[in-house]
Amino acid sequence: MDARRPWIGYASAAALAGACTVAGLAMRPRFDIVNIAMVYLLAVVVVALKFSRGAAVACAALCVAAFDFVFVPPQGTFTVADVQYLLTFSIMLAVALVVSHLLARGREESEARAAAALEAETERVRSTLLASISHDLRTPLAVLTGASSTLAEEGARLPAAEREALARSIYGQARELSEQVDKVLQMTRLESGAIALERDWASLAEIAGTVLRRLSDRLATHRVLVEVPADLPLVRVDAALVDQALANLLDNAARHTPPGTLVRVRARVEGDGIAVSVEDFGGGLDARDLERVFAKFQRGGHEAPGSGMGLGLAICRAIVRLHGGRAWAEAVPGGGIAFRFTLPVEPPPRAPAEDEAA
Amino acid sequence: MTEPRATILVVEDDPDIRRFVAAALRAEGHQVAESADARRGGIDAGTHKPDLAIVDLGLPDFDGLELIRRIRAWSTMPILVLSARSLERAKIDALDAGADDYVTKPFGVGELLARVRVALRHRARTAGGGSVVRMGAAEVDLARRVATREGRPVHLTPIEFRLLECLARHAGLVVTHRALLTEVWGPTHASDTHYLRIYLKQLRDKLEDDPVRPRHLLTETGVGYRLVPDE
């Protein structure tokens, strides 16, 4: 049903009534008039199914008129000689009304159900968000308030080492807080469609190198293996966003797997795209959780609080989708998770010409 | 390494940010002039003749960008920009307008002081200075056009040399894609970023110990490149 252009319904009603009349004329030599009425009835049902109630009633009226004028004796007039045809007319009108009424009710009900489901989902997200915020934002805020007020009010009486320790915990918590707030803002931007991709040629090896350097402190507890082939083609992406997507996967691995375990970053050509993966060997998740972890504010399995707000993977997936790729997780044999995403590859740009022998 | 004391102008409208930036700079032994808006900053830059200016991009009266242009009209003093996260475009515009580097808010003071040190050193060096760039096991003599790695000669193409030269002139500072492309390939190639991807990879393969995790030829995602030589 196209609510914006109601005239289409009426136009279709008229066209179908006309088509039925033509068909009826063709049937006339061999079929009974009652069967021709059936063809008109079919048109009424079709219009009632596809368009508004008004169009259905209009179609029924047009069909009755055409049927009466062309086929019902005396032909060429609207006079009805045989009273039984009045029943035919009434049935056509009744069918139009009943079908369009049933459909309208069905539509309203399914819209109401969808609205209720959406509301429930929104409510669920809102309450998880609130729970998450109260935990992951309030803890650092408590530290910030407590430690900084201690410094401001008792600083002069504290030993220098104590002052520095307080200041450092303020610094650490503030950075964590800033990271979480960035993620909330980024998720909001991605969801509202406020992000326009700034695509340019980029090298995944370069992006991986930058991310590993930036996260080197956090990843210092893990063994990181990088496997990026030297001849990997360039990709046309928003490098800053792909950087974030990869960083979130690595951050995720660092947060959720035990120190000393291996984290493997790989990129390779797969089909007509490039597949990037971050594999960890930290125990893995249930098959059900492998998909669930990509939802907002979800943490895998039984995570301890303070392990992040559960936005990193959702952001990663949103970024990858924006680029026309796919992001998912699968189990690694032996207990681990491989987080993978793909990016489409475009025909490579013209390379700069320089005689290497020069 | 002891750094010379310098006069530094801080143009930042937020009093709390201004306070800790100024405190950290004074703790390092620098003299600090503080301005709360761009108009005042422009005047202070003229009267104090600082060795370095730190300019916030989101100033209340007119844009930090405009202040950078005005300072650049008469001075080559290094300019560091303070900019909000994830605004690559604003950083690039500031660098193209004449800023030398940026620090992204929120920043730790260690990061800011490191940038200040590099920028001041850059100023001290522009007069002349060595043409030898040391990067781990690799050494490149830009004047003599000779490169070695672990003592063995490495062949660099003329374009690789020019690229390295351009980065080395701003050692420690970020250089935008546009600036590199314009200087090495000419203005008609100002947006052929893939040239840089290809050549930086070649340079890393030839000079870095681990080309995938470079320590000297660094990528500033979405902005440009930074050459960090060994001291």
Side-chain angles (χ1 to χ4, degrees):
Chain A
M1 182 169 84
D2 197 332
R4 287 158 302 164
R5 289 180 298 173
W7 60 268
I8 286 186
Y10 291 97
S12 308
L16 273 169
C20 289
T21 308
V22 174
L25 283 170
M27 288 163 67
R28 182 79 193 274
R30 271 182 285 163
F31 288 86
D32 202 59
I33 292 183
V34 179
N35 287 322
I36 295 172
M38 291 299 156
V39 176
Y40 280 111
L41 196 58
L42 180 65
V44 171
V45 172
V46 167
V47 172
L49 277 171
K50 296 284 287 179
F51 304 103
S52 65
R53 184 181 304 198
V57 172
C59 185
L62 281 172
C63 286
V64 165
F67 180 58
D68 180 8
F69 193 81
V70 181
F71 299 103
V72 175
Q75 289 147 12
T77 70
F78 286 109
T79 323
V80 181
D82 196 336
V83 187
Q84 65 170 325
Y85 288 112
L86 289 178
L87 179 67
T88 316
F89 301 161
S90 327
I91 289 177
M92 280 165 97
L93 271 171
V95 165
L97 285 170
V98 168
V99 170
S100 49
H101 174 72
L102 283 176
L103 263 142
R105 203 169 66 186
R107 268 186 216 119
E108 277 160 20
E109 272 173 12
S110 73
E111 273 163 21
R113 260 200 307 278
L118 184 68
E119 201 169 308
E121 172 63 13
T122 314
E123 191 46 47
R124 196 192 63 79
V125 168
R126 191 179 296 138
S127 54
T128 351
L129 172 62
L130 283 177
S132 186
I133 282 180
S134 52
H135 220 111
D136 288 291
L137 301 186
R138 283 199 170 278
T139 309
L141 280 170
V143 175
L144 290 179
T145 313
S148 58
S149 61
T150 309
L151 275 183
E153 282 153 31
E154 308 290 335
R157 279 183 291 245
L158 288 172
E162 198 65 39
R163 279 204 302 272
E164 189 183 326
L166 283 170
R168 291 217 176 270
S169 75
I170 292 174
Y171 183 30
Q173 292 291 342
R175 277 165 61 124
E176 176 65 25
L177 192 59
S178 151
E179 215 173 282
Q180 299 305 337
V181 170
D182 276 347
K183 282 188 175 155
V184 173
L185 293 177
Q186 182 71 334
M187 193 72 235
T188 315
R189 275 199 291 262
L190 282 164
E191 283 188 330
S192 65
I195 289 187
L197 289 186
E198 295 218 16
R199 284 184 192 259
D200 202 345
W201 291 105
S203 136
L204 276 170
E206 223 171 50
I207 292 174
T210 314
V211 170
L212 288 169
R213 187 180 173 83
R214 194 171 68 245
L215 297 187
S216 57
D217 284 351
R218 186 158 297 168
L219 286 164
T221 48
H222 290 67
R223 287 183 298 132
V224 183
L225 203 66
V226 188
E227 291 171 19
V228 183
D231 57 350
L232 202 67
L234 296 178
V235 281
R236 236 174 73 73
V237 296
D238 189 316
L241 290 182
V242 173
D243 172 302
Q244 262 179 44
L246 181 61
N248 286 357
L249 294 186
L250 278 163
D251 178 62
N252 186 67
R255 281 178 195 268
H256 300 302
T257 61
T261 55
L262 181 70
V263 176
R264 182 160 56 182
V265 186
R266 285 205 282 189
R268 60 170 177 234
V269 176
E270 232 175 71
D272 51 359
I274 286 185
V276 182
S277 66
V278 173
E279 291 162 281
D280 66 52
F281 299 86
L285 284 173
D286 297 345
R288 201 170 50 93
D289 282 338
L290 286 176
E291 176 55 29
R292 223 169 48 88
V293 287
F294 281 97
K296 281 184 299 177
F297 306 115
Q298 287 288 354
R299 298 180 189 131
H302 26 71
E303 289 295 344
S307 53
M309 294 172 68
L311 282 174
L313 295 176
I315 290 173
C316 171
R317 177 173 272 184
I319 288 173
V320 169
R321 281 187 175 160
L322 213 51
H323 282 88
R326 207 161 77 78
W328 73 102
E330 46 190 68
V332 170
I337 314 174
F339 289 94
R340 301 189 196 281
F341 66 82
T342 57
L343 292 171
V345 170
E346 291 177 35
R350 210 176 52 77
E354 184 188 22
D355 187 2
E356 259 295 308
Chain B
M1 187 165 170
T2 52
E3 300 293 333
R5 297 158 125 254
T7 303
I8 297 174
L9 172 66
V10 179
V11 191
E12 160 69 65
D13 61 313
D14 186 283
D16 289 315
I17 294 181
R18 212 166 59 231
R19 179 176 302 118
F20 83 73
V21 168
L25 292 170
R26 289 200 180 98
E28 288 280 289
H30 301 301
Q31 290 224 300
V32 182
E34 300 176 43
S35 325
D37 58 56
R39 194 190 54 81
R40 191 69 236 169
I43 296 170
D44 289 345
T47 51
H48 293 277
K49 296 274 188 303
D51 301 296
L52 171 98
I54 297 176
V55 176
D56 174 37
L57 277 188
L59 292 168
D61 48 352
F62 59 84
D63 204 63
L65 263 189
E66 187 51 35
L67 176 61
I68 295 167
R69 286 198 196 96
R70 291 191 191 178
I71 294 178
R72 267 295 163 265
W74 58 268
S75 167
T76 59
M77 74 174 82
I79 301 174
L80 280 187
V81 161
L82 305 181
S83 103
R85 189 176 294 278
S86 76
L87 292 175
E88 267 71 31
R89 193 68 251 167
K91 294 172 193 166
I92 295 169
D93 289 345
L95 294 166
D96 285 341
D100 295 274
D101 211 338
Y102 58 82
V103 182
T104 306
K105 287 181 188 174
F107 52 87
V109 86
E111 191 186 343
L112 175 72
L113 293 176
R115 292 266 168 276
V116 166
R117 244 171 264 139
V118 168
L120 288 174
R121 219 178 295 153
H122 175 67
R123 180 177 172 75
R125 204 180 27 228
T126 4
S131 66
V132 179
V133 185
R134 283 185 190 81
M135 296 179 273
E139 215 172 271
V140 183
D141 187 329
L142 293 167
R144 290 175 45 230
R145 303 222 146 209
V146 181
T148 57
R149 211 175 135 219
E150 285 162 351
R152 279 186 284 278
V154 174
H155 171 75
L156 297 186
T157 70
I159 283 191
E160 287 167 358
F161 263 114
R162 252 189 287 165
L163 199 52
L164 209 53
E165 224 164 40
C166 188
L167 287 164
R169 212 174 318 122
H170 307 273
L173 302 172
V174 66
V175 188
T176 60
H177 296 142
R178 170 174 289 275
L180 287 168
L181 286 163
T182 310
E183 186 162 333
V184 178
W185 282 277
T188 50
H189 293 286
S191 32
D192 288 333
T193 326
H194 61 284
Y195 286 22
L196 292 172
R197 306 296 180 217
I198 294 165
Y199 272 88
L200 259 297
K201 178 182 172 339
Q202 291 176 13
L203 280 172
R204 284 179 181 138
D205 285 344
K206 291 178 182 180
L207 302 173
E208 290 275 2
D209 291 341
D210 182 356
V212 181
R213 304 172 82 168
R215 289 174 44 232
H216 304 283
L217 292 161
L218 306 182
T219 306
E220 292 284 323
T221 306
V223 178
Y225 290 92
R226 188 191 297 275
L227 170 66
V228 182
D230 290 324
E231 295 311 327

